[in-house]
Amino acid sequence: MVELTPSFLLEYDALDRDHRRLADIVNQVVKAIDDGEAEKCEDLVIGLVKSAKSHFANEETLLVKIGYPNVKKHQAHHRSLNTKMDHMIEFAKMAGENQMARDSLRKELVFFLMDDVITVDMEFKNFIAEKAKAGKA
Ligand SMILES: [Fe+2]
Ligand SMILES: [Fe+2]
């Protein structure tokens, strides 16, 4: 199970809410696997990818709006996750019958969420905080 402890929060509600929602879905997938209900993984992971993509779009809109200087780099980072997300869906489709797919899926999902989605966002935490303090975020 993953948990968003304080060091994983941006302290910006709209984005933290999105991240929590993604963490909830990841936890539902882990639970489905643990409960022997891996056939539920496909729908859950499709939902996760959809939510992740809409989160990336929301986040990019905010970063553009507040003038974050490295927005292009962060957009490119989000785009670079497309292949990984496609693979996660493929693993999820096989999860019902295949132990290796279940193990890979569980590992990939946790790394995806904690490293690729949340930790990388910490680069703009201070920038958002300063804009928010100035009433501009
Ligand atoms: Fe994010
Ligand atoms: Fe991001």
Side-chain angles (χ1 to χ4, degrees):
M1 290 284 163
V2 293
E3 198 195 338
L4 299 192
T5 52
S7 61
F8 290 110
L9 296 179
L10 286 165
E11 288 160 32
Y12 187 80
D13 281 346
L15 298 182
D16 286 333
R17 219 181 298 129
D18 282 359
H19 289 170
R20 271 213 187 85
R21 190 178 143 61
L22 299 175
D24 280 349
I25 306 176
V26 168
N27 285 334
Q28 287 173 44
V29 176
V30 172
K31 187 175 185 312
I33 293 173
D34 289 344
D35 291 350
E37 296 177 331
E39 68 284 350
K40 290 182 178 169
C41 290
E42 182 176 352
D43 286 347
L44 287 169
V45 173
I46 288 170
L48 175 71
V49 166
K50 225 179 258 172
S51 298
K53 287 181 177 173
S54 82
H55 165 64
F56 293 158
N58 293 340
E59 190 173 279
E60 288 166 21
T61 302
L62 173 77
L63 294 178
V64 168
K65 190 185 110 192
I66 64 177
Y68 179 58
N70 294 325
V71 66
K72 285 269 183 304
K73 187 179 151 220
H74 199 73
Q75 278 167 335
H77 167 68
H78 287 160
R79 292 298 92 75
S80 80
L81 299 174
N82 283 332
T83 314
K84 200 175 265 194
M85 290 190 280
D86 289 344
H87 287 158
M88 293 187 322
I89 291 175
E90 291 311 311
F91 281 131
K93 283 182 182 163
M94 297 185 286
E97 299 102 66
N98 186 317
Q99 178 71 43
M100 212 177 75
R102 288 194 284 278
D103 293 343
S104 304
L105 181 64
R106 182 206 301 260
K107 227 181 296 164
E108 284 292 312
L109 283 181
V110 174
F111 283 129
F112 170 75
L113 177 75
M114 302 315 272
D115 296 351
D116 299 327
V117 176
I118 295 180
T119 303
V120 178
D121 284 0
M122 293 302 146
E123 343 187 297
F124 52 76
K125 178 171 178 165
N126 289 338
F127 189 84
I128 292 187
E130 276 164 34
K131 290 287 165 179
K133 224 187 290 163
K136 288 177 182 148

